[in-house]
Amino acid sequence: MMMRRLTKFNHTMGFQITHSNKPKKVKPFSCPTNYDDNNGGTNGGSLIPDGVPGYASWLAKHPSALNMFDSITKEAKGKKVAVFLDYDGTLSPIVDDPDKAFMPAEMRTAVREVAKHFPTSIISGRSRERVKEFVQLCNVYYAGSHGLDIMAPPRAVKACDKKGNEGAFQPAQSFLPAIQEMSKKLEGTIREIQGARIEDNKFCISVHYRQVPPEDHERLKGKVKSLLEKRSDFRLTEGKMVLEVRPSIEWNKGNALNYLLDALGFSNAKDVLPLYIGDDRTDEDAFKVIASRREGFPIIVSSIPKDTIARFSLRDPSEVLTFLLRLAKWKKSEIHFFK
């Protein structure tokens, strides 16, 4: 059943599985020497096609989580595993139109199965409401706006907001008027640039330029940076063909991961292993938190060499699907073994 689902998914998305499943010994956890702490953990990566020297040596430093699966589950046996997942580029493919980054049904099934056995959270740069519309699952927790809008587990909730959003934690709530004002200014600033578009993610603003002609990329960046020059209440970060305008608050996906662990009652537990899968620069903040714990599994999704603190890698959403299905199957078999 798992292989039939995977074959259908690969055919639909155009992916190919290239890693073998041969287990390898897990090396002691350590930060890669090429990790750039001053730049949020990554400097991006040049597009290097398969077969070109560079990827093989990078893969040796960040081995496939599929190849290492047996070793990962051996390390996780008897521990409490908490799963954290990015959305775009991890659970769904990167697409030109951000409104069409739909989650395949096979992936939704895999995430649902994982969430039956492990507390599972989606941490995305999208608004919490938007990513929930894409994922369409009720047995996972959602953190939107790079962790600035978190829906905590109900059992950990002490109060509800006025809209009944039980467990909503929004540390940038006071920035909302300024964010809305900035969104309007950005709309006016980029209006003349063909293909540029604004996405309102409630507590952050995304300026997408994937459909902007390459010769206009720097002009777009210049306009956005110029608008933010005298605004100390905002900061600018970059992702995959997107500029992220965020409030100047010390909060990111790493903070969100810690918050959710605390809400789950895992903050002081010594037998907890966070497993985080993500593909973008913003996910490095979460990888860094796991690295500081010296226990857990930060997994980057990338088919090209790039600076990262991640311990393991997966090439694309197709391999994420395979990994999640295997994870759920492993836990299910472990439960049956002890019955």
Side-chain angles (χ1 to χ4, degrees):
M1 176 64 73
M2 183 183 82
M3 290 309 298
R4 285 202 300 270
R5 289 174 178 171
L6 181 59
T7 300
K8 181 181 177 183
F9 180 88
N10 290 339
H11 178 75
T12 302
M13 305 313 297
F15 294 132
Q16 292 183 337
I17 299 294
T18 56
H19 290 321
S20 71
N21 293 328
K22 183 180 179 181
K24 297 180 182 179
K25 185 177 179 182
V26 173
K27 296 180 180 179
F29 193 100
S30 61
C31 299
T33 55
N34 61 347
Y35 177 69
D36 182 0
D37 186 58
N38 293 321
N39 193 33
T42 180
N43 296 317
S46 58
L47 292 174
I48 301 177
D50 292 340
V52 174
Y55 182 73
S57 59
W58 180 85
L59 191 61
K61 296 178 182 178
H62 314 282
S64 165
L66 293 177
N67 288 355
M68 305 293 286
F69 188 82
D70 289 345
S71 295
I72 289 172
T73 52
K74 182 179 179 181
E75 187 176 340
K77 191 172 183 178
K79 303 287 183 70
K80 298 183 181 72
V81 176
V83 176
F84 301 89
L85 304 166
D86 180 33
Y87 183 75
D88 292 277
T90 299
L91 300 181
S92 73
I94 296 293
V95 295
D96 290 340
D97 186 348
D99 289 335
K100 296 181 179 179
F102 302 117
M103 184 179 185
E106 293 80 7
M107 185 68 83
R108 184 172 295 105
T109 298
V111 175
R112 183 188 292 114
E113 288 301 307
V114 167
K116 287 179 181 178
H117 303 291
F118 309 99
T120 301
S121 304
I122 313 292
I123 305 180
S124 172
R126 303 266 192 166
S127 70
R128 176 165 55 86
E129 293 82 1
R130 189 66 174 124
V131 75
K132 191 173 182 180
E133 287 176 7
F134 278 133
V135 176
Q136 299 176 23
L137 293 176
C138 296
N139 63 338
V140 302
Y141 309 124
Y142 294 94
S145 303
H146 300 291
L148 289 169
D149 188 7
I150 302 176
M151 183 63 72
R155 62 180 174 274
V157 172
K158 297 180 180 178
C160 300
D161 66 14
K162 293 180 180 179
K163 293 184 178 180
N165 288 325
E166 190 177 19
F169 176 71
Q170 300 170 336
Q173 181 73 37
S174 63
F175 284 86
L176 267 181
I179 293 170
Q180 292 166 357
E181 176 196 359
M182 178 57 69
S183 183
K184 291 178 181 178
K185 289 184 177 180
L186 283 167
E187 285 278 8
T189 298
I190 70 165
R191 186 176 293 119
E192 64 183 53
I193 299 180
Q194 180 186 352
R197 59 174 298 177
I198 297 290
E199 182 179 9
D200 181 2
N201 291 314
K202 190 169 183 176
F203 292 103
C204 66
I205 308 162
S206 298
V207 182
H208 297 278
Y209 61 93
R210 189 171 293 276
Q211 294 180 304
V212 172
E215 60 269 22
D216 289 332
H217 286 184
E218 291 307 314
R219 184 162 71 98
L220 172 68
K221 292 180 182 180
K223 281 180 171 290
V224 174
K225 290 176 181 178
S226 178
L227 183 61
L228 294 174
E229 273 182 357
K230 297 180 180 180
R231 295 297 298 267
S232 60
D233 51 342
F234 287 98
R235 63 190 178 101
L236 183 68
T237 59
E238 294 191 38
K240 291 183 177 180
M241 307 295 282
V242 62
L243 302 175
E244 302 278 5
V245 179
R246 297 196 247 173
S248 295
I249 177 175
E250 289 299 320
W251 196 267
N252 53 47
K253 288 186 176 182
N255 299 107
L257 186 151
N258 274 332
Y259 180 89
L260 284 162
L261 284 175
D262 183 60
L264 288 163
F266 291 162
S267 59
N268 296 317
K270 295 183 179 180
D271 60 345
V272 173
L273 294 178
L275 185 154
Y276 189 108
I277 306 178
D279 74 308
D280 206 357
R281 297 184 181 191
T282 56
D283 298 308
E284 295 293 331
D285 293 316
F287 295 161
K288 187 177 179 181
V289 166
I290 297 176
S292 69
R293 295 171 63 94
R294 305 198 70 79
E295 285 190 312
F297 310 108
I299 303 173
I300 190 168
V301 182
S302 182
S303 59
I304 60 172
K306 60 168 63 175
D307 290 349
T308 180
I309 200 172
R311 185 178 176 186
F312 303 113
S313 67
L314 293 166
R315 287 179 64 89
D316 52 39
S318 172
E319 290 202 349
V320 174
L321 175 68
T322 305
F323 181 85
L324 293 178
L325 288 171
R326 290 186 66 185
L327 186 65
K329 185 178 179 181
W330 165 74
K331 189 61 178 180
K332 199 179 299 183
S333 64
E334 187 181 53
I335 292 172
H336 290 162
F337 177 80
F338 286 104
K339 280 186 176 181

